[in-house]
Amino acid sequence: MKKLGVLRYSILILFLIRSLNSLYAQIEPKPIINASLVGTVIDASSKEPIEGVTVQLEAVTHSVKTDGNGRFQFVTGQKLPFTLIVSFVGYEKKKIVINTSPTVIELSPTTEDLDEVVVVGYGTQKRRDLTGSVASLNESLLKQNVSSLDQTLKGGISGVQVTQTSGQPGGGVSIRIRGGASIQGGNEPLYVIDGFPIYNQTESTGVGSGTPVNPMSSINPSDVESIEVLKDAAATAIYGSRGANGVILVTTKKGKAGRVQLSYDGSIGQQQVLKKIDVLTAPDFAILRNEALYDAYPNLGKFQYLTQDKIDQLGSGTNWQKEAFQNGQITNHQLSLSGGAEQVQYFIGANYFDQDGVIKNTDFKRLGFRSNINANPFKRLNVGANFSINRTTSQIAPSGIVNALLIMPPTATIYDADGSYTLRNPFENIFANPIATLKETTNTSNALRILGTSFAQYDIIEGLQAKVLLGVDLNNRTDKFYLPSYIYEGAGNNGKANLGNLDSYSWLNENTLNYTTSFQDHHLNALVGFTQQEAKNETFNAGAENFVTDDLLYNSLQSGSTLVRPNSDAYSWILHSYLARVNYNYANKYYLSASIRRDGSSRFGADNKWGNFPSLAFSWRASNESFFKETFSAINDLKIRASFGTTGNQEIGQYQSLSTLYNLNYLFGNKIVTGFASQRIPNKNLGWETTYQYDGGFDIALFNSKLQFTLDYYYKKTTDLLLNVEIPWTSGYASSLQNFGSVSNKGFEFGLKTRNLNGKFVWNTDVNFSFNRNQVLTIGTGAQSYISGNYIIKVGEPLGTFYGTQIDGILQKGEESTKGLFTGNAIPKAGDRLYKDIDGDGKFTTANDRGIIGNAQPDFIFGLTNTLSYRGFDLTFLIQGTVGNELLNINRQNLEMFTGQQNASTDALDRWTETNASQSYPRAKLDPAPIFSDQFVENGSFVRLKSFQFGYTIPKHVLNATRISNLNVYLSGQNLLTWSKYKGFDPEVTSGSNVQIGTDSGIYPASRSLTVGLSLTF
């Protein structure tokens, strides 16, 4: 019985176990079917793999990215067929059903730019949502082999005029966005690099000679991902007191989640001066000098300088330009590592750039490092840091060296018979030996710049983000200068040494709240914030003279027996700001944007330190209206924009509203003591230069965005100009800086993008035209004009207006008694230049017979960029130009003196002589009175092949056996061809002055360069 009981219980237990197993089988999920999908994503045109494409399964969050060979792999519980969503920036988003594995997916480049995200002030927006005038630089132009990022803007964006102020390696440019307005303040735009605002201004140490290095050249252009230019007030008012001259937003490269990439880009090339100026050879110069001496001293005969026999033995003489100019080498190396995962992305890069100048003993070197990191350590927290450190070294051409090379007589020699340098030429006017000056002068500038920003952004609730940004810009520059005793400039001091140091820092703190929400057809974005920035500069310089030896250069100032009085200075400024902006759109049809910024600056008077800068913009996307789509099927986008706003300009220097002091030496009791005196009269009401700007325009896209056209009309009026106004002498001062005067700029901007071909052969074109008209409206109570050198600032005329005399031929024999009064000479003589009698008083005088003889403002500027590619080959070239502007050629003025004391241009061969009754060029004359005339104001229009790059990308299948994922070889050039009537070195030149723009006064000439390079990625 017991056995039967055990059996019964055993059967019951087995039954319970089986029942539980059956129940568990019903509750437990069915096993996952681990299906696998392998595929490759390629470009539909080139058939090349695309890296970084997001491939996502529909209805689930699971997604992967393609690797360097365009491959991806899914392991999923779903069964075939799969529905995939494939997307990548620059390509059309694709939804596709996949039935087999492996598979190949083709993506077509998008012709729709409206979904592109662009950087704007304190945030980003989709291009379709912009209400202001914001332009992006073509990505291909960022690849130019230039020393500074601001040079990449030449010809690339409508309304932006970029002009070289020096062709020296690392040299600067002058940028005007929609024209310049300030007369005594700054006219350059504000740069914002990874969120840090910078005004690109060179600070002097008081040491050295020549054009300073461009501070923007300390930023490696290869690190730049994108450049946006904010032009109208709707876009710039958020920068308030620093937005009047436009804003350039620079974003550096960031890492992307996915495969780690190691990239290298290296190039090497040469550059040469664009052209040389034709001047007289030694025999022609000797004849000219003989004529000038004979004209002054006829009793001494016609061969007072050299006899004809000696002239015949001269040869061509010294070619000073040939001795100074060289073919300079350019080397550039860029190494970067980037990658990351979902939570952390990084970009690390190093750069070495080395450029020799086209003038001997000039160069520029940059060694830099960059680290950009972005991370999402927690679900709601995003942090990042952008850091760069760059060391630059430059040997600078001494001031006046180009002019000296041109006017140095070809009969003078570089070296004496004993091999030492010829100190000076043997004529009345003493010129230094420019080759000795160039080769032996030590004139270096070494700079270290650390620029960084870091931020933390936290999602407080859905749609509400708080962001804190901290940044710092540290600059240290040391200028070193030495003139040895064995050249002319240093001989009188027995050697001269100077050292100067500039130490500056600027820190930034920004605190913003950003709220984004949507409900039904309403879309709202609101931003509020508080920012503060402080900067401080300290300078110091010292020097010595009379050295026992030249060997120590500037490294032993204490060795000089004569010490130069040291100098030091310090100055700082602070800016506090409150800002707010609201962007609203209804149904993606009607857009409204409003912003306001309130700035408080330490630079202005006690009663005028705060300013308000509002803006309002509206746009209507007509193409989203139902009636529009039915009626205009060829137009896929049409947006009409209008904006108004106020911006300011605080770039006037420091302490201008205060009665600052300067030191003076006095003699008391036979002792020299130092005292102080007031430097300027205080002005507690000194305030901003304020710019009011109206903008109206439209953006239209046709034929599936294959043709995109933008048109803008703008009007800018800048009031309360900062001018030194004359005040009664009884005040003890000659002038006072006050808010007087106004200037306007108005014009049209055209931008056209065409996607001409989009198959195996891809061809895209970007064209821009800009027309700007500048006009002085007022310059103070009752004043109508005032003269500044060879320029006039006059109500009704543009800035940059030339003011001088007008030539009227050459006085011929027998005309002395009738036309002699129009030469300006007390005793007129045949061969003198004639000038027009402007005031009609029957004679010519320089003071009374001057008038407007041209202006440096162009009628229009343009740029044309073409990008082509076919089966791995790619070609990009930019043609730019300026039309209608005039240039003051000071070099030509010097070369047409015909004094015989300095060299002259080959135009002197057509000068007036007894046997050549020239109507173009005057006679040789030993001591002419220089008169500025329209003879030296030339047409500055030009068309230039600005940049060119041709490359070939090795096919992927060729690289499969290597670890290289991409390999491109290329040939690139800068300034390859120029069409211009200008007689100077280069028509793309300016002094950088607000008033005296368009002056070419011995500026370091531009160069033509050609480089070869390769880019490869592992």
Side-chain angles (χ1 to χ4, degrees):
M1 292 294 294
K2 288 183 179 181
K3 290 182 179 180
L4 183 59
V6 172
L7 180 62
R8 189 186 305 129
Y9 283 115
S10 298
I11 293 172
L12 180 60
I13 291 171
L14 288 173
F15 176 76
L16 291 173
I17 291 173
R18 183 167 181 174
S19 299
L20 289 173
N21 285 336
S22 177
L23 179 61
Y24 179 78
Q26 296 178 24
I27 296 174
E28 183 185 35
K30 295 181 179 180
I32 296 176
I33 302 172
N34 289 323
S36 177
L37 172 64
V38 177
T40 304
V41 181
I42 64 174
D43 185 291
S45 302
S46 65
K47 307 303 180 184
E48 295 294 328
I50 308 173
E51 182 180 4
V53 178
T54 300
V55 184
Q56 180 179 348
L57 283 169
E58 187 182 40
V60 299
T61 59
H62 186 36
S63 67
V64 296
K65 289 185 181 293
T66 57
D67 62 17
N69 296 314
R71 293 190 294 243
F72 68 91
Q73 182 174 1
F74 266 116
V75 177
T76 178
Q78 298 188 32
K79 295 182 178 180
L80 289 169
F82 298 135
T83 300
L84 299 180
I85 299 172
V86 187
S87 60
F88 187 64
V89 175
Y91 289 83
E92 295 178 356
K93 193 173 184 178
K94 192 169 188 177
K95 184 176 180 180
I96 186 172
V97 177
I98 302 298
N99 293 302
T100 59
S101 177
T103 185
V104 177
I105 302 171
E106 295 186 356
L107 288 185
S108 299
T110 181
T111 56
E112 177 63 77
D113 292 333
L114 300 177
D115 286 327
E116 177 189 2
V117 176
V118 296
V119 179
V120 296
Y122 300 95
T124 58
Q125 279 185 279
K126 287 186 176 180
R127 188 170 295 280
R128 67 169 63 248
D129 296 334
L130 293 174
T131 55
S133 181
V134 180
S136 300
L137 185 66
N138 190 310
E139 183 181 354
S140 62
L141 298 183
L142 290 171
K143 300 177 182 179
Q144 298 178 71
N145 193 18
V146 292
S147 61
S148 62
L149 65 90
D150 46 9
Q151 295 180 17
T152 63
L153 293 165
K154 291 182 180 180
I157 294 178
S158 63
V160 181
Q161 183 181 12
V162 184
T163 312
Q164 198 86 20
T165 58
S166 172
Q168 182 173 277
V173 297
S174 172
I175 296 181
R176 298 293 181 264
I177 299 177
R178 294 185 169 181
S182 184
I183 294 177
Q184 290 184 216
N187 270 321
E188 297 295 320
L190 177 72
Y191 293 83
V192 181
I193 302 176
D194 288 332
F196 198 100
I198 294 171
Y199 187 76
N200 193 37
Q201 180 177 2
T202 303
E203 304 287 350
S204 174
T205 63
V207 168
S209 174
T211 305
V213 176
N214 177 11
M216 199 55 63
S217 64
S218 64
I219 309 298
N220 177 19
S222 301
D223 289 341
V224 177
E225 180 74 26
S226 66
I227 295 179
E228 272 78 34
V229 178
L230 314 184
K231 295 187 284 187
D232 72 338
T236 62
I238 198 68
Y239 288 101
S241 62
R242 294 184 287 182
N245 300 322
V247 180
I248 298 175
L249 303 180
V250 179
T251 303
T252 58
K253 293 177 180 178
K254 306 293 189 295
K256 298 176 182 178
R259 181 172 173 266
V260 176
Q261 288 188 343
L262 177 63
S263 299
Y264 168 78
D265 190 308
S267 64
I268 187 170
Q270 277 198 341
Q271 60 180 3
Q272 61 182 3
V273 68
L274 288 176
K275 63 183 289 189
K276 295 176 182 176
I277 307 300
D278 293 329
V279 294
L280 297 180
T281 59
D284 291 329
F285 171 77
I287 295 171
L288 173 68
R289 178 160 176 79
N290 276 337
E291 288 183 13
L293 290 170
Y294 178 70
D295 180 79
Y297 312 107
N299 295 333
L300 298 179
K302 292 186 177 182
F303 296 96
Q304 300 176 38
Y305 175 47
L306 293 176
T307 64
Q308 189 61 51
D309 289 341
K310 291 184 177 180
I311 292 175
D312 293 339
Q313 298 172 14
L314 282 176
S316 61
T318 304
N319 187 329
W320 295 94
Q321 293 180 77
K322 183 179 179 180
E323 295 293 335
F325 291 131
Q326 66 176 2
N327 290 336
Q329 183 170 296
I330 308 173
T331 305
N332 190 22
H333 299 282
Q334 174 78 18
L335 184 66
S336 65
L337 181 69
S338 65
E342 290 292 331
Q343 288 186 308
V344 180
Q345 303 87 43
Y346 58 87
F347 174 89
I348 301 172
N351 169 255
Y352 176 72
F353 181 86
D354 186 354
Q355 180 180 7
D356 292 330
V358 293
I359 295 180
K360 292 177 180 178
N361 202 30
T362 61
D363 58 36
F364 173 78
K365 297 179 176 65
R366 179 182 57 238
L367 180 63
F369 171 80
R370 172 169 293 279
S371 174
N372 291 347
I373 299 174
N374 288 278
N376 301 94
F378 308 109
K379 183 177 181 181
R380 293 186 176 183
L381 180 64
N382 181 29
V383 296
N386 307 296
F387 171 83
S388 68
I389 178 169
N390 291 278
R391 169 77 172 180
T392 62
T393 302
S394 183
Q395 173 71 13
I396 300 171
S399 295
I401 194 68
V402 174
N403 182 57
L405 293 171
L406 294 176
I407 65 176
M408 194 68 178
T411 54
T413 59
I414 300 175
Y415 302 99
D416 286 335
D418 62 0
S420 62
Y421 283 114
T422 302
L423 289 183
R424 60 181 177 89
N425 73 51
F427 308 130
E428 291 85 344
N429 286 350
I430 298 175
F431 301 111
N433 181 336
I435 301 302
T437 303
L438 187 63
K439 289 185 175 181
E440 304 302 328
T441 300
T442 301
N443 189 28
T444 64
S445 182
N446 303 324
L448 178 67
R449 185 171 198 171
I450 299 173
L451 177 63
T453 56
S454 61
F455 71 89
Q457 181 175 288
Y458 184 73
D459 296 337
I460 300 173
I461 58 175
E462 184 177 356
L464 179 62
Q465 297 174 330
K467 182 177 180 180
V468 176
L469 182 143
L470 297 173
V472 65
D473 183 17
L474 304 176
N475 285 275
N476 182 270
R477 190 173 96 236
T478 301
D479 294 337
K480 304 174 182 179
F481 185 74
Y482 187 76
L483 288 173
S485 60
Y486 50 85
I487 68 172
Y488 176 75
E489 294 91 331
N493 305 106
N494 202 27
K496 180 180 179 180
N498 292 93
L499 286 174
N501 182 262
L502 168 68
D503 192 17
S504 69
Y505 74 86
S506 176
W507 63 265
L508 171 74
N509 168 234
E510 295 178 351
N511 310 277
T512 57
L513 283 174
N514 194 306
Y515 181 66
T516 303
T517 187
S518 298
F519 51 95
Q520 297 180 348
D521 288 332
H522 302 275
H523 307 278
L524 177 70
N525 172 259
L527 171 77
V528 295
F530 168 73
T531 75
Q532 51 187 337
Q533 186 172 358
E534 179 180 354
K536 185 173 183 179
N537 288 23
E538 296 179 349
T539 62
F540 172 80
N541 62 67
E545 299 174 354
N546 288 316
F547 290 91
V548 176
T549 176
D550 293 308
D551 293 340
L552 298 176
L553 301 178
Y554 43 74
N555 295 307
S556 182
L557 296 183
Q558 65 274 17
S559 300
S561 59
T562 303
L563 298 180
V564 177
R565 189 175 186 180
N567 182 276
S568 63
D569 196 7
Y571 43 94
S572 62
W573 58 267
I574 300 174
L575 182 69
H576 286 177
S577 309
Y578 300 90
L579 57 94
R581 180 177 60 206
V582 175
N583 294 322
Y584 168 79
N585 89 72
Y586 175 75
N588 293 323
K589 299 178 185 178
Y590 314 106
Y591 296 80
L592 178 68
S593 178
S595 71
I596 186 169
R597 178 165 177 145
R598 180 169 172 79
D599 277 343
S601 174
S602 63
R603 300 189 182 194
F604 294 97
D607 294 345
N608 213 353
K609 286 194 177 296
W610 288 88
N612 299 316
F613 305 96
S615 74
L616 183 66
F618 171 79
S619 65
W620 172 40
R621 173 157 276 107
S623 55
N624 281 1
E625 301 284 0
S626 57
F627 72 85
F628 190 94
K629 296 178 180 178
E630 296 172 0
T631 308
F632 306 100
S633 58
I635 303 176
N636 54 286
D637 185 69
L638 173 62
K639 181 171 65 174
I640 301 172
R641 298 176 281 104
S643 68
F644 167 76
T646 305
T647 49
N649 184 6
Q650 71 155 8
E651 298 305 328
I652 63 168
Q654 291 76 38
Y655 315 127
Q656 297 295 312
S657 67
L658 303 177
S659 178
T660 54
L661 302 176
Y662 69 101
N663 62 290
L664 292 169
N665 291 334
Y666 298 91
L667 187 63
F668 283 106
N670 295 322
K671 291 184 179 180
I672 297 177
V673 297
T674 300
F676 291 90
S678 178
Q679 190 170 15
R680 65 171 67 92
I681 191 170
N683 183 0
K684 64 180 180 180
N685 292 314
L686 190 70
W688 322 88
E689 290 186 344
T690 303
T691 297
Y692 303 90
Q693 184 171 181
Y694 303 85
D695 186 282
F698 67 85
D699 309 307
I700 187 171
L702 304 167
F703 314 119
N704 196 28
S705 294
K706 290 185 178 179
L707 188 152
Q708 301 175 47
F709 181 73
T710 297
L711 169 67
D712 278 89
Y713 170 77
Y714 61 88
Y715 177 80
K716 292 169 50 177
K717 181 180 179 181
T718 302
T719 63
D720 298 328
L721 292 180
L722 293 159
L723 297 173
N724 279 313
V725 179
E726 290 187 1
I727 58 177
W729 283 94
T730 53
S731 66
Y733 303 90
S735 63
S736 171
L737 186 64
Q738 299 180 23
N739 293 104
F740 270 101
S742 58
V743 171
S744 69
N745 285 277
K746 60 182 178 181
F748 287 93
E749 295 173 355
F750 301 89
L752 176 65
K753 293 183 178 181
T754 62
R755 305 298 176 248
N756 308 314
L757 296 172
N758 188 23
K760 291 183 179 180
F761 183 75
V762 179
W763 176 23
N764 299 327
T765 302
D766 288 6
V767 185
N768 67 81
F769 282 87
S770 307
F771 302 79
N772 182 72
R773 296 295 176 265
N774 178 273
Q775 187 179 41
V776 177
L777 301 178
T778 59
I779 52 174
T781 306
Q784 290 298 306
S785 65
Y786 70 89
I787 298 171
S788 175
N790 296 321
Y791 294 76
I792 187 171
I793 294 90
K794 184 176 181 179
V795 173
E797 298 293 334
L799 295 173
T801 296
F802 301 110
Y803 191 67
T805 62
Q806 299 178 42
I807 62 172
D808 195 23
I810 303 297
L811 184 70
Q812 303 297 326
K813 281 188 173 182
E815 297 178 340
E816 291 87 348
S817 61
T818 56
K819 294 185 178 181
L821 292 175
F822 305 115
T823 64
N825 298 323
I827 304 176
K829 187 175 180 180
D832 286 342
R833 193 181 290 282
L834 293 170
Y835 299 91
K836 290 184 179 181
D837 177 17
I838 302 298
D839 65 357
D841 64 354
K843 60 181 179 179
F844 169 80
T845 59
T846 304
N848 298 327
D849 290 310
R850 287 186 293 174
I852 293 174
I853 56 176
N855 74 80
Q857 300 283 350
D859 293 336
F860 67 92
I861 59 177
F862 69 90
L864 170 66
T865 305
N866 277 282
T867 305
L868 306 94
S869 63
Y870 177 74
R871 294 188 178 275
F873 292 96
D874 60 89
L875 171 65
T876 299
F877 63 90
L878 165 65
I879 296 175
Q880 67 154 141
T882 300
V883 177
N885 64 303
E886 288 157 314
L887 297 174
L888 170 52
N889 191 343
I890 298 294
N891 292 332
R892 181 180 175 186
Q893 185 176 18
N894 293 332
L895 291 172
E896 291 187 12
M897 297 287 285
F898 302 165
T899 64
Q901 300 179 28
Q902 60 187 44
N903 207 354
S905 70
T906 52
D907 291 330
L909 298 175
D910 190 33
R911 65 187 178 275
W912 189 96
T913 64
E914 294 284 346
T915 58
N916 180 40
S918 173
Q919 286 287 355
S920 300
Y921 299 100
R923 62 187 169 91
K925 187 177 182 181
L926 191 63
D927 188 23
I931 298 176
F932 171 59
S933 71
D934 57 356
Q935 172 79 359
F936 314 114
V937 176
E938 299 185 41
N939 183 355
S941 302
F942 71 90
V943 177
R944 167 170 288 168
L945 178 57
K946 182 61 186 176
S947 66
F948 167 94
Q949 181 160 318
F950 176 72
Y952 178 67
T953 301
I954 308 300
K956 295 289 184 181
H957 68 269
V958 177
L959 302 174
N960 283 341
T962 70
R963 293 182 177 272
I964 301 174
S965 60
N966 185 76
L967 175 60
N968 177 268
V969 292
Y970 60 86
L971 173 71
S972 69
Q974 295 284 315
N975 300 331
L976 294 181
L977 295 171
T978 302
W979 295 270
S980 176
K981 295 181 179 179
Y982 182 60
K983 291 188 175 182
F985 285 108
D986 181 30
E988 187 188 343
V989 65
T990 186
S991 65
S993 165
N994 295 347
V995 174
Q996 300 185 11
I997 57 179
T999 295
D1000 184 359
S1001 55
I1003 293 173
Y1004 193 117
S1007 59
R1008 176 190 299 111
S1009 66
L1010 196 65
T1011 61
V1012 294
L1014 64 87
S1015 299
L1016 56 89
T1017 303
F1018 296 91

